[in-house]
């Protein structure tokens, strides 16, 4: 309901709508939970999938990646304290970045919650030590190349690059995992095998099953001769 209302108020502009929703969510969390979330928070990423575009909004180091034509194309870019723009905002809010963390504590510079880092009453939400101002971007859909999305939190990206995640999705599909949920589970399992100890949430969104079907068919044809794909 919040997003639908924001899209209506913003004339269908997905980037503006997502930015508004993230601000509203942060305010609602503060109103409902207050001090309980002083030292707890969450990164967030989401993608609005429309017939002609992909619009991504994010806070922190949860990430969305598009696989197009077999190559990884990032839809989001991690909000880390050591980034030049992020470091400058932290300094302007009378904080510091130590060992890549806000005030030596928090490893991301934008998030929902974490209200201990949003205590300056003289600053707007976008200017706090930890901001809830969303990063947002829009990419036109390309029917000739777009295959799938990987949307996941940092427990996945801690051990996988964008390219590796896309390659693993294609490999899982080639081996018969035609359910997006099953493919997402493979990404989680691989991250665990690689030693990730952070929380892991992962969603795979297939934009064009036929293209992934072609990947499998091509592999089988190369190895076994002609075959068909039932996906």
């Amino acid at each position: 309901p919040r997003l639908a209302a924001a899209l209506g108020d913003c004339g269908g502009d997905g980037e503006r709508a997502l930015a508004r929703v993230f601000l509203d969510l942060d305010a609602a969390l503060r109103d409902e939970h207050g001090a309980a979330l002083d030292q707890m928070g969450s990164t967030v990423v989401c993608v609005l999938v429309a017939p002609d575009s992909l619009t991504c909004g994010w806070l922190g180091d949860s990430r969305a990646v598009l696989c197009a034509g077999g190559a990884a194309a990032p839809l989001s870019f991690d909000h880390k304290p050591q980034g030049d723009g992020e470091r400058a905002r932290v300094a302007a809010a009378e904080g510091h970045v130590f060992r890549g963390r806000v005030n030596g504590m928090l490893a991301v510079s934008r998030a929902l919650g974490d209200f201990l880092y949003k205590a300056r009453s003289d600053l707007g939400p976008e200017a706090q030590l930890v901001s809830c101002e969303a990063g947002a971007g829009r990419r036109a859909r390309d029917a000739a190349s777009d295959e799938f999305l990987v949307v996941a939190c940092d427990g996945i990206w801690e051990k996988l690059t964008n390219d590796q995640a896309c390659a693993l999705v294609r490999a899982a599909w080639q081996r018969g995992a035609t359910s997006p949920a099953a493919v997402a589970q493979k990404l989680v399992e691989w991250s665990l095998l690689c030693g990730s100890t952070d929380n892991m949430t992962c969603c795979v969104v297939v934009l064009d099953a036929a293209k992934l079907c072609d990947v499998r068919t091509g592999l089988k044809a190369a190895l076994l001769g002609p075959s068909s794909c039932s996906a």
Side-chain angles (χ1 to χ4, degrees):
R2 288 179 188 270
L3 179 57
L7 283 169
D9 291 344
C10 295
D13 185 328
E15 293 177 73
R16 289 174 55 207
L18 286 173
R20 172 174 161 174
V21 166
F22 285 12
L23 289 170
D24 289 348
L25 282 174
D26 199 60
L29 286 170
R30 187 190 291 271
D31 289 344
E32 184 171 349
H33 298 287
L37 293 181
D38 273 356
Q39 298 187 66
M40 288 193 296
S42 178
T43 63
V44 59
V45 63
C46 63
V47 181
L48 300 180
V49 180
D52 62 345
S53 65
L54 301 168
T55 304
C56 183
W58 73 97
L59 295 170
D61 53 6
S62 290
R63 192 184 306 169
V65 177
L66 167 70
C67 183
L75 299 181
S76 65
F77 301 89
D78 297 356
H79 292 134
K80 290 292 193 179
Q82 59 267 37
D84 289 341
E86 301 299 285
R87 183 187 293 270
R89 189 194 69 253
V90 170
E94 300 182 350
H96 64 276
V97 177
F98 178 65
R99 293 183 177 175
R101 294 173 177 264
V102 176
N103 287 357
M105 298 291 291
L106 198 63
V108 293
S109 53
R110 302 194 195 192
L112 297 176
D114 288 310
F115 295 123
L116 182 67
Y117 302 89
K118 301 173 180 176
R120 289 281 299 272
S121 60
D122 59 323
L123 298 176
E126 73 286 348
Q128 299 289 335
L129 282 172
V130 172
S131 173
C132 60
E133 181 180 27
R138 181 182 182 276
R139 178 188 173 104
R141 294 280 300 271
D142 185 347
S145 62
D146 292 354
E147 297 178 18
F148 58 85
L149 299 169
V150 179
V151 184
C153 67
D154 61 316
I156 299 294
W157 305 115
E158 181 181 300
K159 294 298 181 180
L160 293 176
T161 66
N162 295 349
D163 290 330
Q164 288 171 337
C166 288
L168 281 167
V169 170
R170 293 180 119 227
W173 202 273
Q174 288 169 7
R175 294 181 66 85
T178 57
S179 159
V183 176
Q185 183 175 339
K186 296 295 184 185
L187 287 175
V188 171
E189 291 171 350
W190 185 261
S191 299
L192 286 168
L193 286 171
C194 291
S196 179
T197 57
D198 210 336
N199 57 300
M200 282 175 270
T201 302
C202 180
C203 178
V204 173
V205 180
V206 176
L207 300 173
D208 192 331
K211 288 186 178 61
L212 283 173
C213 177
D214 289 343
V215 169
R216 184 190 304 160
T217 301
L219 178 68
K220 287 183 177 179
L223 296 177
L224 304 173
S227 67
S228 62
C229 178
S230 60

